[in-house]
């Protein structure tokens, strides 16, 4: 199925469904880390992904597993060892996610600068509006 015709509701729904899963930052980070490092245990992933809580990582892994992007392997040891890796479908995301990471690294500074310019302009407009309101009140 081609999703090029976005005027079709089912195409928009399919795109929205997929992007809701793989478009959030934690899913991108998990797929990226598993793609770069191969099979990892939960705590290894948690250490590699700065800022993710245990609960959020658990939910993200569960959702990625549900969607067929990540596989969870439990080894019958004491204590049990659990490892996560990308499925064949998950591996197809490695290229797009690597490209996104590379683009982010290359353009982060330009984005920070653009935000500063925008914020400066918006603050000037807001200050000017405040002066107009104060002047009108007299």
């Amino acid at each position: 199925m081609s999703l090029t015709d976005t005027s079709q509701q089912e195409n928009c729904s399919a795109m929205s469904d997929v992007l809701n899963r793989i478009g959030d930052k934690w899913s991108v980070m998990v797929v990226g880390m598993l793609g770069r490092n191969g099979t990892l245990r939960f705590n290894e992933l948690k250490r590699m992904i700065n800022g993710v809580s245990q609960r959020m990582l658990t939910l993200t892994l569960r959702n990625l597993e549900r969607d067929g992007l990540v596989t969870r392997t439990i080894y019958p040891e004491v204590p049990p060892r659990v490892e996560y890796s990308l499925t064949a479908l998950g591996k197809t995301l490695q290229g797009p996610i690597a490209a996104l990471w590379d683009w982010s690294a290359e353009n982060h500074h330009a984005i920070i600068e653009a935000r500063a310019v925008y914020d400066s302009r918006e603050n000037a407009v807001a200050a000017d509006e405040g002066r107009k309101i104060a002047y009108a009140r007299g």
Side-chain angles (χ1 to χ4, degrees), residues 26 42 46 51-63:
W26 300 125
F42 183 91
K46 189 166 180 335
V52 69
S53 68
Q54 182 167 335
R55 175 168 164 65
M56 186 52 67
L57 183 55
T58 298
L59 291 172
T60 301
L61 286 165
R62 194 174 293 153
N63 286 327

Side-chain angles (χ1 to χ4, degrees), residues 34-54:
L34 291 174
R36 290 179 179 209
N37 298 289
T39 301
L40 294 170
R41 295 176 75 172
F42 183 91
N43 284 329
E44 292 173 315
L45 270 170
K46 189 166 180 335
R47 276 191 297 274
M48 290 178 171
I49 301 173
N50 187 31
V52 69
S53 68
Q54 182 167 335

